[in-house]
Amino acid sequence: MTSAYASTLLTRTFRRSNHLASRTFLRNGLQCPKCGQGLAVQTRSIHSPADDPSFTSIVDNPPNLVRSGRKHGPGLIILALIPLTAFALGTWQVQRLDWKTKLIAKLEDRLVRSPLPLPPNINPEAIAEFDYRRVFATGHFRHDQEMLIGPRLHDGNNGYMVITPLERGDEGTTILVNRGWIPKSLKRQADRKEGLPTEEVTVEGLLREPWKKNMFTPDNKPELGEFYFPDVEQMAKLTGSQPVWIEETMEPDLLKAYDREAKGIPIGRAAEVNLRNNHAQYIFTWYALAAATSVMLWMVVKKPPTGVARRVRQNKEW
């Protein structure tokens, strides 16, 4: 190493030491030992955030840790109630299916029995025990007290149900007979003379319980001769009959039905139980809904969080 190179190296080292010392003096608020004016010149270029009186550090105002991506609201509770409710309704429909199946079997057992003669006086409260029981009664139709219930559809055609009191001569009582359906075009009695027998007749039919009105069916207007549903009690008072309802039956025969329709003779119903039994479909629907919504609930609960699992929400005062 030459003396010139050593001299240059010592000079650079000395200058660097003086510079660091000068910066150290400025940070500590001391004057430079050489010029004495370094503090005034250099302090204007060095500023710390802590010098601001309104400065707040993270120690004074810490951040809030917020969990994100796995939070569930009230919707999860509603989603959990759906499968429980659907399962309960499906179970209820299982019970309804058992009840309806037994009821239809009991009514069909009554249909296979031989028809009974209708007694002169009938206790209305006992009719429920003989619902769908085949009976027969003899008497004369009171066509002057005939009532038409409608509109009623039969094979897609509009018409009416003919309700005629049957006056039983020997017994001295009257009952209501649902003779069957006629087309709307033969509403007037003058257009269906063949369907108005005047001689003594024997009517065979089903003893039925009084009908229950549908909430969408309008009220009857007997003063105008308009009936929309068979109100047995109302019709019995109007005609002076017993509140006994008989539905006349006939053998299912398409040609015979066409002939009756053309002549204005009411088409009676078939001797069969016409109660609807759709509870098996309801069971499948409710249980399928319970299974589907249970899978949806499991997917929502087990769904992994998207993005960062936790994030820092900055304080509003920062």
Side-chain angles (χ1 to χ4, degrees):
M1 179 180 297
T2 61
S3 59
Y5 177 77
S7 178
T8 302
L9 181 62
L10 289 174
T11 302
R12 291 180 179 178
T13 303
F14 178 76
R15 289 178 180 176
R16 185 174 181 182
S17 300
N18 290 339
H19 179 69
L20 293 176
S22 177
R23 293 184 62 183
T24 304
F25 294 153
L26 292 177
R27 289 174 183 168
N28 295 331
L30 302 177
Q31 291 184 351
C32 178
K34 291 184 178 182
C35 62
Q37 296 180 354
L39 180 63
V41 174
Q42 298 296 333
T43 52
R44 288 195 296 267
S45 61
I46 300 176
H47 177 73
S48 174
D51 296 335
D52 188 353
S54 62
F55 173 75
T56 304
S57 69
I58 192 173
V59 177
D60 301 325
N61 197 359
N64 297 324
L65 295 179
V66 180
R67 186 179 179 88
S68 64
R70 296 296 298 273
K71 184 178 180 180
H72 301 292
L76 185 65
I77 300 178
I78 298 176
L79 185 60
L81 291 177
I82 294 177
L84 296 177
T85 304
F87 183 82
L89 291 174
T91 305
W92 177 64
Q93 288 297 328
V94 171
Q95 299 174 357
R96 293 279 295 175
L97 176 63
D98 180 67
W99 167 79
K100 184 61 72 65
T101 302
K102 292 179 180 179
L103 176 61
I104 293 176
K106 180 176 66 175
L107 299 179
E108 288 179 344
D109 179 67
R110 295 174 183 174
L111 286 176
V112 299
R113 300 180 183 181
S114 301
L116 294 173
L118 196 66
N121 295 297
I122 303 172
N123 183 6
E125 297 180 356
I127 294 179
E129 300 297 328
F130 294 88
D131 193 23
Y132 277 92
R133 188 67 168 88
R134 295 171 59 193
V135 296
F136 64 89
T138 302
H140 292 83
F141 282 124
R142 291 291 305 272
H143 299 295
D144 58 322
Q145 295 181 334
E146 180 184 87
M147 294 165 286
L148 301 180
I149 299 177
R152 286 292 190 275
L153 293 177
H154 178 76
D155 292 338
N157 299 321
N158 198 3
Y160 298 93
M161 302 299 297
V162 180
I163 312 301
T164 308
L166 180 68
E167 193 175 60
R168 306 163 69 188
D170 296 339
E171 290 82 1
T173 57
T174 304
I175 60 174
L176 298 175
V177 178
N178 179 5
R179 300 184 60 200
W181 180 88
I182 60 171
K184 185 178 180 180
S185 59
L186 300 178
K187 179 180 179 180
R188 296 173 59 248
Q189 290 188 354
D191 298 331
R192 46 184 172 90
K193 292 292 185 180
E194 294 188 48
L196 304 174
T198 57
E199 68 277 5
E200 185 178 70
V201 295
T202 298
V203 177
E204 182 177 331
L206 303 179
L207 181 63
R208 293 300 315 279
E209 282 190 280
W211 289 39
K212 296 181 180 180
K213 177 185 174 183
N214 190 296
M215 62 179 299
F216 301 104
T217 305
D219 295 330
N220 293 334
K221 300 179 181 178
E223 65 279 2
L224 301 178
E226 298 178 1
F227 297 90
Y228 302 101
F229 76 101
D231 189 335
V232 178
E233 295 288 341
Q234 182 186 62
M235 292 180 172
K237 292 179 180 179
L238 189 63
T239 59
S241 307
Q242 295 184 83
V244 178
W245 179 268
I246 303 296
E247 294 184 356
E248 188 174 2
T249 58
M250 59 172 287
E251 292 293 332
D253 189 326
L254 185 60
L255 296 179
K256 187 176 181 180
Y258 284 154
D259 182 63
R260 280 176 168 249
E261 181 178 352
K263 296 179 179 179
I265 302 175
I267 302 175
R269 60 163 295 169
E272 61 184 15
V273 178
N274 56 0
L275 297 180
R276 293 188 301 175
N277 188 8
N278 299 327
H279 298 289
Q281 301 177 14
Y282 300 149
I283 292 172
F284 174 80
T285 301
W286 288 120
Y287 279 154
L289 179 61
T293 51
S294 297
V295 173
M296 293 174 58
L297 178 64
W298 180 84
M299 294 176 63
V300 170
V301 174
K302 294 297 182 180
K303 182 179 179 181
T306 58
V308 182
R310 288 180 178 271
R311 64 182 175 86
V312 177
R313 183 175 63 192
Q314 291 184 343
N315 191 284
K316 62 182 180 179
E317 297 180 0
W318 283 16

